[in-house]
Amino acid sequence: MSHRRRTIGVVTTPTPSAALTAEAVRSGAGSAMETLDAAFARIDHSDPVLHAFTTLLRADGRAVAAAVDAKEGDARTRLALAGVPLAIKSTVTLDNPVVAPLLAAGAVPVGITAAPQLCTWGMTDSDEHGITRNPRDVSLSAGGSSGGSAAAVASGMVPLAVGDDGMGSLRIPAAACGIVTIKPGPGVVPTQLGADNWGRLAESGPLARTVEDVALALSVMSGRPGLATLSPVPGGTRVGLSTTSPIRLGRDLVRVHEPWKRAAREAAALLGEADLVVVDTPLPAPRDPVLYLARWTSAVARAAEEANLPLSAMERRTRHHALLGRTAFRSGGAGDGDTRWNRAAEALRSEVERAMDTAGVDVWLTPALADAPPEATEWHQRSWGRSLWASMRFSPFTPLANVLGWPAMSVPCGRTRSPLGRELPTSVQLIGRPGSEATLLSLAAVIERDGA
């Protein structure tokens, strides 16, 4: 079976966007129940290969779809997401404040999606749920930790999914699978992921195939309808382009491969053609090279404690991660106060802001990843070091926005080839200061439109 999976091509099914689906259901040109049945048919066809879902919510979905179809007149036309099939990451429940606004807007839940244990890794696989594969090339991982949500959208099984992002867990799988996502800044979406949202690093956000759908979903999740309107980029916006490796120990520890550098340069050219100023300037990296690891491991240690998950129940790689995090946490890795790691995060924030002020830029543009995603395999049976390096090697750009507490998004731009010769989208990352979500969406829309 594993050999057969490695030779299967791209697993994608055409499906209307969330915006078009909602428009059809609101107008009566389609029904929520018919839309749901079509989504389940796509899932039944594709998910035995992809393993994006851990649980299908057939009864819940049908109940919600029936309620949407029963609405008439203004009650239906007011539903921004009428009848839109929705996949939900396993970190939240249907009544979570992240999901509830989407359901209130008419979205229909279809299933719960896979994530690695404690959302720790950049690859999604486990003994319980198998290996979540990339719809673009099933020999590759879909990324993590929102890998199931990304695979569900990229394959066309659903047009919209929810995930969360503690060190890149939305942007990594979105870039790996060639779709769009945004990690909003703190407080924009009512994120509720344990007591402190993964050491205050994590935010919740939507994944979709288009910037329009991501903006629509974010407007609903945040209760800010204006975010659904993709306005022109504010005049005078300047973008800083950086393709330098963000993980350095006197040299570039992680290599940024040329297709991903090229994607960032292509996006910069598209923005330049839209009369925006793009400045080539290096993005500062942490002066303390252990900063990212300390925040990452201590957040996992705290998540394990909140979930009452004993070390004996953890995978080998996650157990090592949590043990290391307990040591970092005891010295304040994810806590409050004057600690080495909090001082390092504040110093990094000041350095990034100073670099922006010096270069006169408002937004950073980087590659979203440094390389193609790792092989789809049983990473959960491998050592901590191998999983750590696999995650870090292809996704060094994303942790910065979490440590800064700034919004960031990933949008496809360009193409490359997988090791098996499949065409893969490449993607770029946009990072802005707090409150810049609308600007990031507008910039992403330019890249998406002009790069199509």
Side-chain angles (χ1 to χ4, degrees), residues 54-78:
T54 63
T55 305
L56 293 182
L57 303 173
R58 296 186 190 270
D60 291 291
R62 294 187 71 81
V64 172
V68 170
D69 286 337
K71 293 184 182 295
E72 298 179 350
D74 289 346
R76 181 183 288 204
T77 58
R78 286 196 297 266

Short mmCIF file of all heavy atoms in Angstrom, two decimals, residues 54-78:
data_model
loop_
_atom_site.label_atom_id
_atom_site.label_comp_id
_atom_site.label_asym_id
_atom_site.label_seq_id
_atom_site.Cartn_x
_atom_site.Cartn_y
_atom_site.Cartn_z
N THR A 54 -9.70 13.13 11.04
CA THR A 54 -9.71 12.09 12.07
C THR A 54 -11.13 11.66 12.40
O THR A 54 -11.35 10.53 12.83
CB THR A 54 -9.03 12.59 13.35
OG1 THR A 54 -9.77 13.70 13.88
CG2 THR A 54 -7.60 13.04 13.07
N THR A 55 -12.09 12.56 12.24
CA THR A 55 -13.49 12.30 12.55
C THR A 55 -14.36 13.04 11.55
O THR A 55 -14.10 14.22 11.27
CB THR A 55 -13.85 12.79 13.97
OG1 THR A 55 -12.97 12.20 14.91
CG2 THR A 55 -15.29 12.44 14.32
N LEU A 56 -15.38 12.38 11.03
CA LEU A 56 -16.35 13.06 10.17
C LEU A 56 -17.61 13.37 10.99
O LEU A 56 -18.09 12.52 11.74
CB LEU A 56 -16.69 12.21 8.96
CG LEU A 56 -15.55 12.00 7.97
CD1 LEU A 56 -16.03 11.17 6.77
CD2 LEU A 56 -14.95 13.31 7.51
N LEU A 57 -18.13 14.56 10.84
CA LEU A 57 -19.28 15.02 11.62
C LEU A 57 -20.53 14.97 10.75
O LEU A 57 -21.18 15.98 10.49
CB LEU A 57 -19.03 16.45 12.11
CG LEU A 57 -17.77 16.65 12.96
CD1 LEU A 57 -17.53 18.12 13.24
CD2 LEU A 57 -17.86 15.85 14.26
N ARG A 58 -20.89 13.77 10.32
CA ARG A 58 -22.01 13.64 9.38
C ARG A 58 -23.32 14.11 10.01
O ARG A 58 -24.08 14.85 9.39
CB ARG A 58 -22.12 12.20 8.88
CG ARG A 58 -20.90 11.75 8.07
CD ARG A 58 -21.11 10.35 7.48
NE ARG A 58 -19.88 9.82 6.89
CZ ARG A 58 -19.49 9.99 5.63
NH1 ARG A 58 -20.26 10.69 4.81
NH2 ARG A 58 -18.37 9.46 5.18
N ALA A 59 -23.59 13.69 11.23
CA ALA A 59 -24.86 14.06 11.86
C ALA A 59 -24.90 15.56 12.18
O ALA A 59 -25.89 16.24 11.89
CB ALA A 59 -25.08 13.24 13.13
N ASP A 60 -23.81 16.07 12.75
CA ASP A 60 -23.75 17.51 13.06
C ASP A 60 -23.88 18.33 11.78
O ASP A 60 -24.60 19.34 11.74
CB ASP A 60 -22.44 17.85 13.76
CG ASP A 60 -22.36 17.28 15.16
OD1 ASP A 60 -23.10 17.74 16.03
OD2 ASP A 60 -21.54 16.38 15.37
N GLY A 61 -23.16 17.91 10.75
CA GLY A 61 -23.20 18.65 9.50
C GLY A 61 -24.57 18.69 8.89
O GLY A 61 -25.04 19.74 8.42
N ARG A 62 -25.25 17.55 8.89
CA ARG A 62 -26.59 17.51 8.29
C ARG A 62 -27.58 18.35 9.09
O ARG A 62 -28.46 19.00 8.52
CB ARG A 62 -27.07 16.06 8.18
CG ARG A 62 -26.24 15.23 7.19
CD ARG A 62 -26.83 13.85 6.95
NE ARG A 62 -28.08 13.93 6.16
CZ ARG A 62 -28.10 14.05 4.84
NH1 ARG A 62 -26.98 14.13 4.14
NH2 ARG A 62 -29.25 14.09 4.21
N ALA A 63 -27.43 18.37 10.40
CA ALA A 63 -28.32 19.19 11.22
C ALA A 63 -28.12 20.67 10.93
O ALA A 63 -29.08 21.44 10.80
CB ALA A 63 -28.09 18.90 12.70
N VAL A 64 -26.86 21.09 10.82
CA VAL A 64 -26.57 22.50 10.54
C VAL A 64 -27.02 22.85 9.13
O VAL A 64 -27.61 23.93 8.90
CB VAL A 64 -25.07 22.79 10.73
CG1 VAL A 64 -24.74 24.20 10.25
CG2 VAL A 64 -24.68 22.62 12.19
N ALA A 65 -26.75 21.97 8.17
CA ALA A 65 -27.16 22.24 6.79
C ALA A 65 -28.67 22.37 6.68
O ALA A 65 -29.19 23.26 5.98
CB ALA A 65 -26.65 21.14 5.87
N ALA A 66 -29.40 21.51 7.36
CA ALA A 66 -30.86 21.60 7.34
C ALA A 66 -31.34 22.92 7.93
O ALA A 66 -32.29 23.54 7.42
CB ALA A 66 -31.46 20.42 8.10
N ALA A 67 -30.68 23.36 9.00
CA ALA A 67 -31.07 24.64 9.62
C ALA A 67 -30.81 25.80 8.68
O ALA A 67 -31.60 26.75 8.60
CB ALA A 67 -30.30 24.82 10.92
N VAL A 68 -29.70 25.76 7.93
CA VAL A 68 -29.42 26.82 6.96
C VAL A 68 -30.47 26.83 5.86
O VAL A 68 -31.01 27.88 5.49
CB VAL A 68 -28.01 26.63 6.36
CG1 VAL A 68 -27.80 27.57 5.17
CG2 VAL A 68 -26.94 26.87 7.41
N ASP A 69 -30.80 25.65 5.34
CA ASP A 69 -31.79 25.57 4.26
C ASP A 69 -33.18 25.99 4.72
O ASP A 69 -34.00 26.44 3.90
CB ASP A 69 -31.83 24.14 3.69
CG ASP A 69 -30.63 23.82 2.82
OD1 ASP A 69 -30.00 24.77 2.31
OD2 ASP A 69 -30.30 22.62 2.67
N ALA A 70 -33.44 25.86 6.02
CA ALA A 70 -34.76 26.24 6.53
C ALA A 70 -34.94 27.75 6.67
O ALA A 70 -36.07 28.23 6.80
CB ALA A 70 -35.00 25.56 7.88
N LYS A 71 -33.84 28.48 6.63
CA LYS A 71 -33.93 29.94 6.77
C LYS A 71 -34.47 30.56 5.48
O LYS A 71 -34.18 30.08 4.39
CB LYS A 71 -32.57 30.53 7.13
CG LYS A 71 -32.06 30.12 8.51
CD LYS A 71 -30.76 30.80 8.84
CE LYS A 71 -30.23 30.35 10.19
NZ LYS A 71 -31.09 30.75 11.31
N GLU A 72 -35.22 31.62 5.64
CA GLU A 72 -35.82 32.28 4.49
C GLU A 72 -35.54 33.78 4.55
O GLU A 72 -35.27 34.34 5.62
CB GLU A 72 -37.33 32.05 4.45
CG GLU A 72 -37.71 30.58 4.31
CD GLU A 72 -39.23 30.38 4.30
OE1 GLU A 72 -39.95 31.36 4.61
OE2 GLU A 72 -39.67 29.25 4.02
N GLY A 73 -35.62 34.43 3.39
CA GLY A 73 -35.53 35.88 3.31
C GLY A 73 -34.24 36.42 3.90
O GLY A 73 -33.14 35.89 3.65
N ASP A 74 -34.38 37.49 4.69
CA ASP A 74 -33.21 38.15 5.26
C ASP A 74 -32.39 37.24 6.16
O ASP A 74 -31.17 37.38 6.27
CB ASP A 74 -33.64 39.38 6.07
CG ASP A 74 -34.13 40.51 5.17
OD1 ASP A 74 -33.89 40.44 3.95
OD2 ASP A 74 -34.75 41.46 5.70
N ALA A 75 -33.06 36.30 6.82
CA ALA A 75 -32.35 35.39 7.72
C ALA A 75 -31.30 34.58 6.96
O ALA A 75 -30.24 34.25 7.50
CB ALA A 75 -33.33 34.46 8.42
N ARG A 76 -31.60 34.26 5.69
CA ARG A 76 -30.62 33.52 4.89
C ARG A 76 -29.63 34.48 4.23
O ARG A 76 -28.43 34.20 4.18
CB ARG A 76 -31.31 32.69 3.82
CG ARG A 76 -30.29 31.89 2.99
CD ARG A 76 -30.92 31.09 1.86
NE ARG A 76 -31.67 29.95 2.35
CZ ARG A 76 -31.92 28.87 1.61
NH1 ARG A 76 -31.50 28.80 0.36
NH2 ARG A 76 -32.62 27.87 2.11
N THR A 77 -30.09 35.59 3.70
CA THR A 77 -29.19 36.49 2.98
C THR A 77 -28.15 37.13 3.89
O THR A 77 -27.13 37.62 3.40
CB THR A 77 -29.98 37.59 2.25
OG1 THR A 77 -30.77 38.32 3.20
CG2 THR A 77 -30.90 36.99 1.20
N ARG A 78 -28.41 37.13 5.19
CA ARG A 78 -27.43 37.68 6.12
C ARG A 78 -26.30 36.70 6.45
O ARG A 78 -25.34 37.08 7.13
CB ARG A 78 -28.12 38.11 7.42
CG ARG A 78 -28.94 39.40 7.30
CD ARG A 78 -29.25 39.96 8.68
NE ARG A 78 -30.07 39.05 9.46
CZ ARG A 78 -31.40 39.09 9.53
NH1 ARG A 78 -32.06 40.00 8.83
NH2 ARG A 78 -32.07 38.22 10.27
#
